[in-house]
Amino acid sequence: MKRSEFLVFGRPAIEEAEIEAVARTMRSGWLGTGPRVAEFEDTFRGYTGAEHALALNSCTAGLHLALLCLELEPGDEVITTPLTFCATANAIIHAGGRPVFADVEPGSMNIDPARIEAALSARTRAIVPVHFAGRPCDMDAIMAIGKRHDLRVIEDAAHAIESAYKGRKIGAIGDATVFSFYVTKNIVTGEGGMVTTNRQAWAERIKVLGLHGMGKDAWKRYQDEGFRHYDVLYPGFKYNMMDIQAAIGIEQMKRIVAYRARRQAIWNRYNEAFAGLPLILPAAPEPDTVHALHLYTPLLDLARVNITRDELQRRLHERNIGTGVHFTALHLYSYYRNTFGYKPGDFPHARFVSERTLSLPLSARLTDADVQDVIDAVRSSLS
Ligand SMILES: *Cc1c(COP(=O)(O)O)cnc(C)c1O
């Protein structure tokens, strides 16, 4: 019954092509930001259809810089979902804003446009929707609210590289969109992120802020064209991506369709296998959207069992299956509670999910035998 080896949650699919690309980059002698980063940005611009793509060393860095483009003043508010990774809210705080949470819809687990409307104030400056698990948010409704109230929309697309909404790629809709290539994400570079935007001024500012605030193309200062002096325009950050990371990303992007197809097969297999169990399975994707299938997040139906989600996770761990929790709603954590006065009951849908949710392995790397092991372990843990 128990598999012999622990199945690590979110272990990335890495192939020889990436290993060789990294070795080639290292042998080239140019490890830092350079031609591979420029190529990766071009690939991503072409993939999303956005006018600009800026590679950085994380999605968190990208969120921070995109939010700095808002030039927030003390007391300014940014509306986001409580059902996200802490980086989303932290970036708002680091950019000088106050995160204001709006509850999610129970089925999609995405931010509810009606709750955004209810959270608006005279100080609201922007909305940061998160495409949870790769399911696109209701962008028509969110963009319409933005337009009506003159707010910017910065999307957290850490889960949503492949996502599309009504024929448009996520990455070409809001004012800026930020992707992650962290080790567990759909496409990995180890650590890494990308901002896409159609705003030329934002693209230029993000490029400059991401490399110490030095004038653009400062990375070329050691190239063979001869040393160039640079200016410093802002007190910037050290957020640039390395060529070593971009080399991995360029190879990974070649398999983006195949990887998603593999995750779709695993997703379908899970849906079939878990149909009769006390689990609330992920909702079907909305019509005319592409779900990036980043996380498979059933909810443990607490009304039908007498164990907790944590106990289910413990039982799965005992059977050598690694799992995740996406997410504990942010308003339940001490910092946001103590600083912004949130109460556990403030966002009942996000709290409902966070008490029941469990992420099962969904990496394209899983073999059929791995998937069967997960299914067997879930069934025996719930029987
Ligand atoms: C992973 C993640 C991030 C942060 O990505 P990094 O690249 O690790 O900085 C931000 N938001 C969400 C929703 C995430 O899942």
Side-chain angles (χ1 to χ4, degrees):
M1 205 69 233
K2 174 174 164 176
R3 47 180 280 137
S4 52
E5 186 200 332
F6 185 68
L7 184 64
V8 176
F9 176 82
R11 192 156 60 156
I14 293 290
E15 299 185 23
E16 278 309 308
E18 283 88 311
I19 295 168
E20 279 163 27
V22 167
R24 268 199 311 281
T25 304
M26 294 188 76
R27 288 196 189 97
S28 80
W30 192 282
L31 311 190
T33 306
R36 295 283 80 77
V37 168
E39 183 185 344
F40 189 35
E41 289 175 339
D42 275 341
T43 303
F44 217 76
R45 189 164 33 241
Y47 180 69
T48 56
E51 283 169 39
H52 307 277
L54 298 313
L56 297 164
N57 61 13
S58 71
C59 173
T60 304
L63 288 166
H64 183 202
L65 299 187
L67 286 154
L68 282 175
C69 291
L70 299 170
E71 301 186 79
L72 297 174
E73 288 171 11
D76 281 351
E77 298 174 358
V78 176
I79 298 177
T80 192
T81 169
L83 198 65
T84 184
F85 186 54
C86 58
T88 317
N90 293 348
I92 293 169
I93 296 164
H94 292 315
R98 179 187 176 94
V100 172
F101 297 128
D103 206 359
V104 298
E105 302 165 329
S108 72
M109 306 183 191
N110 275 329
I111 193 164
D112 183 343
R115 306 316 309 163
I116 295 175
E117 297 257 21
L120 291 169
S121 83
R123 300 307 306 267
T124 308
R125 297 284 314 282
I127 307 167
V128 179
V130 178
H131 305 293
F132 180 81
R135 178 189 305 273
C137 291
D138 184 350
M139 291 309 294
D140 279 350
I142 291 168
M143 295 306 290
I145 296 169
K147 197 161 184 191
R148 260 198 316 281
H149 299 275
D150 192 26
L151 309 174
R152 304 285 84 78
V153 176
I154 296 172
E155 295 162 66
D156 180 336
H159 301 174
I161 300 177
E162 299 92 336
S163 305
Y165 177 83
K166 300 190 180 173
R168 296 164 75 192
K169 265 298 291 128
I170 293 300
I173 300 177
D175 293 280
T177 307
V178 192
F179 299 88
S180 175
F181 311 117
Y182 177 63
V183 284
T184 58
K185 303 286 158 76
N186 288 355
I187 293 292
V188 307
T189 61
E191 298 284 358
M194 188 81 74
V195 182
T196 61
T197 180
N198 291 335
R199 289 178 168 265
Q200 167 97 19
W202 284 26
E204 281 172 14
R205 179 176 278 222
I206 289 167
K207 189 94 200 164
V208 168
L209 282 177
L211 192 62
H212 304 294
M214 300 192 296
K216 77 172 168 188
D217 296 337
W219 63 269
K220 292 181 181 161
R221 67 195 179 282
Y222 298 122
Q223 263 191 340
D224 53 10
E225 291 155 43
F227 184 84
R228 300 193 206 177
H229 286 283
Y230 53 84
D231 194 9
V232 178
L233 307 172
Y234 306 99
F237 301 88
K238 178 65 177 168
Y239 281 171
N240 55 304
M241 179 181 277
M242 295 173 75
D243 265 20
I244 294 177
Q245 296 165 296
I248 302 171
I250 291 165
E251 294 305 322
Q252 288 260 304
M253 286 299 286
K254 295 175 185 168
R255 277 181 249 111
I256 191 164
V257 172
Y259 282 169
R260 186 181 173 287
R262 176 62 187 150
R263 293 195 308 277
Q264 180 79 69
I266 298 167
W267 183 287
N268 295 346
R269 186 82 192 82
Y270 283 161
N271 273 350
E272 268 168 35
F274 300 146
L277 299 181
L279 296 172
I280 303 165
L281 300 184
E286 287 71 18
D288 207 9
T289 65
V290 177
H291 191 308
L293 308 176
H294 174 55
L295 297 169
Y296 187 83
T297 60
L299 307 182
L300 179 62
D301 191 351
L302 296 179
R304 291 161 65 199
V305 293
N306 49 22
I307 59 167
T308 60
R309 183 271 319 279
D310 289 358
E311 171 62 15
L312 175 56
Q313 276 193 296
R314 202 192 55 73
R315 290 182 184 183
L316 290 169
H317 186 261
E318 218 167 55
R319 290 162 171 79
N320 265 341
I321 304 296
T323 59
V325 170
H326 300 88
F327 294 95
T328 296
L330 296 187
H331 73 288
L332 303 174
Y333 286 123
S334 13
Y335 177 77
Y336 311 99
R337 243 183 19 230
N338 297 338
T339 310
F340 305 111
Y342 287 120
K343 307 264 180 315
D346 284 349
F347 308 101
H349 297 310
R351 185 185 183 190
F352 183 94
V353 171
S354 76
E355 285 169 352
R356 291 162 176 79
T357 192
L358 170 85
S359 299
L360 297 176
L362 186 63
S363 164
R365 179 181 177 133
L366 299 185
T367 64
D368 288 346
D370 292 333
V371 174
Q372 193 57 50
D373 287 342
V374 175
I375 290 170
D376 291 344
V378 169
R379 282 191 178 137
S380 70
S381 298
L382 286 172
S383 65

